Amino acid sequence: MGLASLLAGLIMMLCGINAYRGRWRKWLQPGLIPRVDSYVGLGLLYGGIGFCLAPLSALLADSNSPRALTAVVVSLAIGGILVWLLSTAWLPRFMRPRWVKVKQGSSDLFPANPGAR
């Protein structure tokens, strides 16, 4: 099971990296929920990290490793998977790459009064 999680995590991470770099843009469409933007492509990076860390966290929990290290790895794995799930409906603006903000016409990039100084 650990090998399957690691393989799935690596594939998800590669897809997420391509989404962040802008090489894979087809996923940027209206979300699964009407009038809610979905960022599943970007969330794949974080989900992939979580899936890759899951076997490591299980290994650390079974071995005689420090509890603090195990807690950190488990927290990162769960956090990555939760961000991936959250990305189906929302992703914080700071986690979106510039090309997504440009495509969506973000107010961060385009001031309300561009001619005013």
Side-chain angles (χ1 to χ4, degrees):
M1 189 62 159
L3 185 59
S5 176
L6 186 64
L7 183 62
L10 289 174
I11 292 170
M12 290 169 70
M13 280 177 46
L14 287 175
C15 291
I17 289 169
N18 282 331
Y20 263 97
R21 294 177 70 195
R23 293 184 179 243
W24 178 41
R25 296 183 181 206
K26 186 151 179 84
W27 62 267
L28 187 63
Q29 297 173 1
L32 302 173
I33 305 167
R35 293 182 300 228
V36 174
D37 290 331
S38 179
Y39 301 97
V40 178
L42 300 176
L44 284 173
L45 175 63
Y46 303 104
I49 291 170
F51 271 75
C52 284
L53 289 176
L56 177 63
S57 63
L59 180 69
L60 290 174
D62 287 343
S63 67
N64 203 8
S65 58
R67 286 187 178 201
L69 178 64
T70 304
V72 168
V73 173
V74 167
S75 298
L76 289 173
I78 291 172
I81 292 169
L82 287 177
V83 169
W84 171 53
L85 294 173
L86 180 67
S87 72
T88 59
W90 176 76
L91 200 63
R93 185 163 291 173
F94 72 89
M95 295 177 89
R96 300 178 209 162
R98 182 175 176 86
W99 70 265
V100 171
K101 293 176 188 176
V102 169
K103 187 154 180 132
Q104 293 178 336
S106 173
S107 60
D108 287 349
L109 296 175
F110 304 107
N113 256 340
R117 294 201 183 220

